Amino acid sequence: MSDLSKLPVTVITGFLGSGKTTLIRHLMQNPQGKRLAVVVNEFGDVGVDGEILKSCAIPDCPAENIMELSNGCICCTVADDFIPTIEALMALDPRPDHILIETSGLALPKPLLKAFDWPDIRSRITVDGVIALADAEAVAAGRFAPDVARVDAQRMADDSIDHETPLSEVFEDQISCADIILLTKPDLAGPDGIAKAREIIAAEAPRPLPVVEVAEGAVDVRVVLGLEAAAEDDMDARPSHHDGADDHEHDDFESIVVELPEQADPADLVARIERLANERNILRVKGYVAVTDKPMRLLVQAVGARVRHQYDRPWTPGEARRGRLVVIAEHDDIDAAAINEMLTGLAVAAE
């Protein structure tokens, strides 16, 4: 690639826990000769995804090519964070052949595309494509509208009011902005669930989109990179609920960090997280936990009541053996004291 050619960037979007980090890890490990760089945008200040990816660094995507923007939407911090990060990656020697941007699970992709119109970078980069990941089981279950029948009834009664939930808007904006949809976790959905998820996606998509089933992020690099979509020049074909708005709101969602002491039994913690999701409508829990008498750190990733955990690396010498979990939910569902008590068993004094 000559210095005069535009550097391709792929935006990877998708709802909470849809498998974005797993996909990027697969692309890093199977780059097919491309030198990759990665930007990870976290929601919450515990950098789980960036640390996972740095642990998978290889010569074609070394650790210095992986940059993390925590606790902020990159489309809202363009001048302060996003542009300097992109410029730093472009200044690397050797320069990357392709940049992957993992948005947070709550991000709206279209405002991010608008950031690529900034004069400082427009002449030097292009959006090769927008990849949207959708959890087949979650989509098939209709979790983006808590009560579809009631919402439809309300719309018929007063169609001048938008009754859609923030979750449905995020999902629909991600689908509308995409060039290709990756339908993840097909094994959990089963054939009927996959068919239902495809039907829902087709109904939401503003134009026919390819939908590819992907398990554990395993997809041929040629399917998702090299699309040459130039998405920054194709904005009108990517409708959004927020078109015409001067800004977009992030107040619909909130995150808190829960500090945990060493845990004697991971199964007990899993049960508490499941209860938290079921009783308090928590969307996502992710972070690290110390387990008594275990030299390895426990990585915890939960989407709703579905919890996955594994030991990811040894605790390093001098590192504090403490647990930290990011808890994400819609704003009205965040009760810090109740969440802390449910996860730790310790009451927290109200402020």
Side-chain angles (χ1 to χ4, degrees):
M1 180 172 63
S2 72
D3 290 338
L4 297 179
S5 64
K6 288 188 176 183
L7 179 62
V9 175
T10 293
V11 175
I12 299 175
T13 186
F15 203 68
L16 296 159
S18 59
K20 299 184 298 296
T21 304
T22 301
L23 171 67
I24 292 177
R25 182 166 53 190
H26 173 79
L27 296 177
M28 288 171 54
Q29 295 171 341
N30 301 274
Q32 296 193 3
K34 294 181 182 291
R35 186 173 179 85
L36 301 177
V38 179
V39 178
V40 181
N41 187 209
E42 293 267 33
F43 190 91
D45 63 0
V46 177
V48 177
D49 296 342
E51 194 163 341
I52 291 172
L53 293 176
K54 287 180 180 180
S55 71
C56 302
I58 61 172
D60 281 328
C61 189
E64 60 266 25
N65 284 28
I66 303 169
M67 295 193 176
E68 189 175 353
L69 300 175
S70 296
N71 204 27
C73 173
I74 48 182
C75 58
C76 294
T77 57
V78 174
D80 293 336
D81 296 323
F82 179 61
I83 300 298
T85 297
I86 294 295
E87 290 182 327
L89 290 175
M90 295 178 70
L92 291 172
D93 186 15
R95 190 171 87 159
D97 299 314
H98 205 114
I99 297 175
L100 308 176
I101 298 180
E102 177 188 347
T103 71
S104 83
L106 302 174
L108 303 178
K110 190 169 180 178
L112 173 57
L113 294 190
K114 293 179 181 178
F116 289 92
D117 200 34
W118 274 56
D120 289 347
I121 60 172
R122 178 173 173 78
S123 64
R124 296 184 288 160
I125 62 176
T126 182
V127 182
D128 180 68
V130 179
I131 313 302
L133 278 66
D135 182 319
E137 183 188 36
V139 173
R143 294 180 189 154
F144 307 109
D147 188 334
V148 176
R150 181 174 297 177
V151 169
D152 287 341
Q154 289 173 328
R155 284 178 179 157
M156 291 183 67
D158 185 0
D159 57 8
S160 68
I161 299 175
D162 181 3
H163 292 287
E164 292 180 307
T165 68
L167 299 186
S168 70
E169 289 191 6
V170 172
F171 173 70
E172 290 161 14
D173 275 23
Q174 291 170 350
I175 296 299
S176 296
C177 199
D179 294 290
I180 185 172
I181 310 294
L182 300 185
L183 201 57
T184 62
K185 307 174 187 175
D187 54 321
L188 298 178
D192 291 343
I194 291 170
K196 180 63 176 176
R198 285 179 175 271
E199 178 184 330
I200 292 171
I201 289 168
E204 298 296 347
R207 60 196 182 284
L209 292 173
V211 178
V212 180
E213 295 173 32
V214 175
E216 297 297 332
V219 62
D220 193 312
V221 173
R222 296 170 296 179
V223 173
V224 293
L225 303 187
L227 301 183
E228 299 182 357
E232 71 276 14
D233 296 327
D234 188 32
M235 301 291 282
D236 290 342
R238 304 165 192 267
S240 165
H241 285 279
H242 300 266
D243 284 340
D246 293 332
D247 200 354
H248 62 282
E249 297 294 333
H250 296 274
D251 294 340
D252 293 327
F253 305 98
E254 189 174 339
S255 70
I256 64 169
V257 176
V258 177
E259 304 277 353
L260 289 175
E262 286 196 9
Q263 300 294 299
D265 183 5
D268 181 60
L269 176 62
V270 168
R272 278 179 271 149
I273 294 173
E274 291 172 346
R275 180 184 164 213
L276 183 71
N278 290 326
E279 295 184 10
R280 307 206 65 87
N281 299 319
I282 300 303
L283 303 174
R284 190 84 161 92
V285 177
K286 60 181 180 178
Y288 303 104
V289 176
V291 179
T292 304
D293 296 328
K294 296 290 185 181
M296 302 282 285
R297 191 178 65 172
L298 188 71
L299 169 66
V300 178
Q301 299 266 25
V303 182
R306 193 168 69 217
V307 186
R308 300 177 67 176
H309 57 94
Q310 65 187 63
Y311 292 100
D312 69 324
R313 68 163 174 81
W315 292 97
T316 59
E319 183 179 10
R321 287 175 56 94
R322 63 172 184 169
R324 303 189 78 208
L325 295 179
V326 178
V327 179
I328 305 171
E330 293 189 61
H331 178 79
D332 291 345
D333 291 322
I334 288 288
D335 181 331
I339 291 169
N340 268 278
E341 184 172 357
M342 193 171 288
L343 287 178
T344 66
L346 301 174
V348 177
E351 295 182 1

